[in-house]
Amino acid sequence: MPLPLYLLALAVFAMGTSEFMLAGLLPDIASDLGVTVGTAGMLTPAFAIGMVAGAPLVAVLARNWPRRSSLLGFVLAFAAAHAVGAGTTSLPVLFATRVAAALVNAGFLAVALAAAATLVPADKKGRALAVLLSGTTVATIAGVPGGSVLGTVLGWRATFWAVAALCLPAALGILKGIPAGHGQAEAAGGPALRAELAQLRRAPLLLVMLLGALVNAATFASFTFLAPVVTGTAGLGELWISVVLVLFGAGSLAGVTAAGRLADRRPGPAVAVAGPLLLLGWPALAVLAAEPVALFVLVFVQGALSFALGSTLITRVLYEAAGAPTMAGSYATAALNVGAVAGPLVAATTLSTGAGTLGPFWASGLLVAVALLLALPFRAVITAGRSAEVVR
């Protein structure tokens, strides 16, 4: 894989750390700014909603910009948003910086996904996507726990400054590693925006976007509410929360890496194996979560299966959106983040039921079941070999 892909993954690591880091910082932020934890908690959906809305919007705005300039501008804007957030004493200002960071994050990921597909041969999009998404999985392994520790020792503002600092080497890498060129639309052959948007009327593209969103919703439904399971159901101390999050992240990295080698040439086995196992794994977690060893093992396995299946489906989005070379990344980004927003909302409704803190696991199982039922009649679309997409 070319070096520029890893430079893009470094930026994705910084952005992924920012997206997930608030889970461990909200009490400190609330205390410092003089608001309730619930009020401070609005910072999390603000980021996710900004990602959903920002992906297609910013991709359209940046469509005629050179990719290197776009990516560099997004990274520097992301750093600036965190610098402002680190220095503010106002919750509305901090809220605005989270929305701004989400918008540029969405724009960056949309352009980066499209750029990654052009940096490799047409039959290696899956491996390129795996490298790019490894930035997110490494963020869950190292960035989020590290940010939580840094926030505990030096305060939440230090974590924001650290994310801003991480963007600087990523910006330098983009400047040195991404080739200069014409606007994205021109480099891609100049398809009209209307023609690219018309791709959204294609049923196969909509199907794989929906399936990717459902699987990602299942992932975030459980990931968001792991902490009370660790301290409540399993009866472990708070320090074990970070251990469980790291295990989930390590599994995610293993899954996305393995899927990267299958998503291009053999997506069928990836979906056929990971899908049913993922479906069985969420209820198994709900039943066995009280046993720490079983919890640790299943969290790792579910992280691996979730990202293996999810990244395979997102790779299919890029293939099915081959007729929209400058917008394909935004379609994939939107699918991912619709799931990231919807999953926790669905899971939250289960917390007040008899299932309690285990409800999110059952919700995740239901979401995966819906995805597999929808996929069953359209196996040919999801498991199609690479040749049809490459020549489309």
Side-chain angles (χ1 to χ4, degrees):
M1 292 288 103
L3 177 62
L5 270 179
Y6 294 95
L7 302 175
L8 294 176
L10 175 61
V12 172
F13 167 76
M15 294 178 179
T17 298
S18 174
E19 183 175 3
F20 304 125
M21 70 184 183
L22 288 191
L25 303 178
L26 284 180
D28 193 13
I29 292 174
S31 176
D32 188 23
L33 299 184
V35 299
T36 66
V37 173
T39 301
M42 294 303 295
L43 296 169
T44 298
F47 194 95
I49 292 170
M51 285 284 286
V52 173
L57 175 62
V58 181
V60 169
L61 293 175
R63 187 170 175 271
N64 293 310
W65 301 348
R67 281 202 172 114
R68 185 170 70 178
S69 299
S70 299
L71 294 169
L72 181 61
F74 288 141
V75 169
L76 293 178
F78 193 81
H82 283 75
V84 173
T88 189
T89 57
S90 165
L91 182 64
V93 172
L94 183 58
F95 186 92
T97 66
R98 294 303 288 170
V99 174
L103 288 171
V104 296
N105 186 358
F108 177 88
L109 190 56
V111 176
L113 283 167
T118 66
L119 290 173
V120 297
D123 61 346
K124 292 186 177 179
K125 290 181 183 179
R127 292 188 63 184
L129 179 65
V131 171
L132 196 64
L133 291 183
S134 69
T136 298
T137 57
V138 173
T140 63
I141 298 170
V144 175
S148 179
V149 171
L150 186 61
T152 300
V153 175
L154 298 177
W156 67 271
R157 297 178 190 277
T159 305
F160 274 66
W161 282 117
V163 170
L166 272 175
C167 292
L168 299 182
L172 181 61
I174 289 168
L175 188 62
K176 298 294 185 181
I178 302 297
H182 299 291
Q184 294 182 73
E186 184 179 345
L193 177 59
R194 180 177 297 181
E196 295 204 45
L197 294 176
Q199 292 292 307
L200 289 172
R201 293 199 295 265
R202 295 184 58 252
L205 173 58
L206 292 175
L207 174 66
V208 290
M209 288 178 65
L210 175 59
L211 296 179
L214 284 168
V215 170
N216 209 42
T219 303
F220 278 86
S222 291
F223 178 81
T224 304
F225 297 101
L226 274 176
V229 175
V230 175
T231 57
T233 306
L236 299 172
E238 291 187 0
L239 290 177
W240 287 99
I241 295 174
S242 294
V243 174
V244 170
L245 293 178
V246 168
L247 283 172
F248 187 90
S252 302
L253 180 60
V256 79
T257 301
R261 299 183 178 277
L262 293 173
D264 292 310
R265 297 178 182 274
R266 303 187 67 191
V271 174
V273 173
L277 290 177
L278 186 63
L279 175 60
L280 293 174
W282 290 126
L285 252 176
V287 172
L288 300 173
E291 300 295 332
V293 173
L295 175 66
F296 296 158
V297 171
L298 284 171
V299 161
F300 176 87
V301 170
Q302 290 302 95
L305 293 172
S306 294
F307 273 75
L309 181 58
S311 63
T312 298
L313 291 170
I314 293 303
T315 299
R316 306 312 299 171
V317 172
L318 295 179
Y319 275 123
E320 291 296 339
T326 70
M327 295 297 295
S330 71
Y331 301 158
T333 302
L336 284 170
N337 285 284
V338 165
V341 172
L345 293 177
V346 172
T349 65
T350 68
L351 296 174
S352 58
T353 68
T357 56
L358 298 176
F361 294 148
W362 293 107
S364 294
L366 178 61
L367 288 165
V368 174
V370 171
L372 294 181
L373 287 173
L374 288 174
L376 193 60
F378 304 101
R379 294 189 302 276
V381 172
I382 301 159
T383 63
R386 62 180 173 84
S387 57
E389 291 86 354
V390 171
V391 299
R392 178 176 292 155

